[in-house]
Amino acid sequence: MVIMVLEALTGIFGSLLSVGGIVSLIINVVITAIAIMIADKVITHEISVKHSLLMAFVAYLIVPILFSFLLAFVRSVAVIGIILPLVAWIILGEILLKSDRKQKAIVAVIAYAVNILLLTYVSGLIFAVLPF
């Protein structure tokens, strides 16, 4: 079990520590932070740039770590891969956003959707475009 966790962490952080991984992380965090700010401006009007960047950055770092640890205990990758990031975004929204619970949840779900789209399409494109 420990070996599975270490292998998952090595795979996740091996790709994150490459040049493509770092560029992808920066682009994804900035785009997600902008999406959080836009969604929050439309819905609640109360988020700062610092909080949106912090929310996006923490979510991009914490979800893979939790994913690798839970992968050793839970056998359903689909449950961990879909529910865990959504729960992480909602928790971060509750901590970092200033609004009522419903509006925080809406902004967090929008940020989660942007996160999934970026990880699905943009990250692979960045790795394909960079020569190293």
Side-chain angles (χ1 to χ4, degrees), residues 16 18-29 126-127 130 132:
L16 276 178
S18 67
V19 174
I22 293 170
V23 170
S24 175
L25 176 70
I26 291 170
I27 291 171
N28 289 345
V29 165
I126 291 170
F127 279 108
L130 290 176
F132 24 76

Side-chain angles (χ1 to χ4, degrees), residues 40-61:
D40 192 63
K41 291 288 183 193
V42 170
I43 297 170
T44 64
H45 310 290
E46 298 180 12
I47 193 167
S48 68
V49 175
K50 181 176 91 172
H51 281 136
S52 65
L53 283 171
L54 181 66
M55 185 175 170
F57 187 71
V58 169
Y60 273 103
L61 291 181

Side-chain angles (χ1 to χ4, degrees), residues 16-122:
L16 276 178
L17 294 177
S18 67
V19 174
I22 293 170
V23 170
S24 175
L25 176 70
I26 291 170
I27 291 171
N28 289 345
V29 165
V30 169
I31 292 173
T32 304
I34 291 170
I36 292 168
M37 289 186 309
I38 291 170
D40 192 63
K41 291 288 183 193
V42 170
I43 297 170
T44 64
H45 310 290
E46 298 180 12
I47 193 167
S48 68
V49 175
K50 181 176 91 172
H51 281 136
S52 65
L53 283 171
L54 181 66
M55 185 175 170
F57 187 71
V58 169
Y60 273 103
L61 291 181
I62 224 162
V63 169
I65 293 170
L66 291 175
F67 180 82
S68 63
F69 283 120
L70 289 176
L71 191 60
F73 299 107
V74 179
R75 297 294 175 211
S76 175
V77 177
V79 170
I80 297 174
I82 295 170
I83 294 175
L84 177 68
L86 180 59
V87 169
W89 279 104
I90 291 173
I91 290 171
L92 286 169
E94 287 292 325
I95 294 170
L96 295 173
L97 300 177
K98 301 174 190 170
S99 183
D100 69 345
R101 197 170 296 260
K102 181 181 175 185
Q103 291 174 338
K104 288 179 190 180
I106 291 170
V107 172
V109 169
I110 290 170
Y112 166 75
V114 169
N115 173 30
I116 294 299
L117 289 173
L118 289 173
L119 288 176
T120 304
Y121 297 108
V122 176

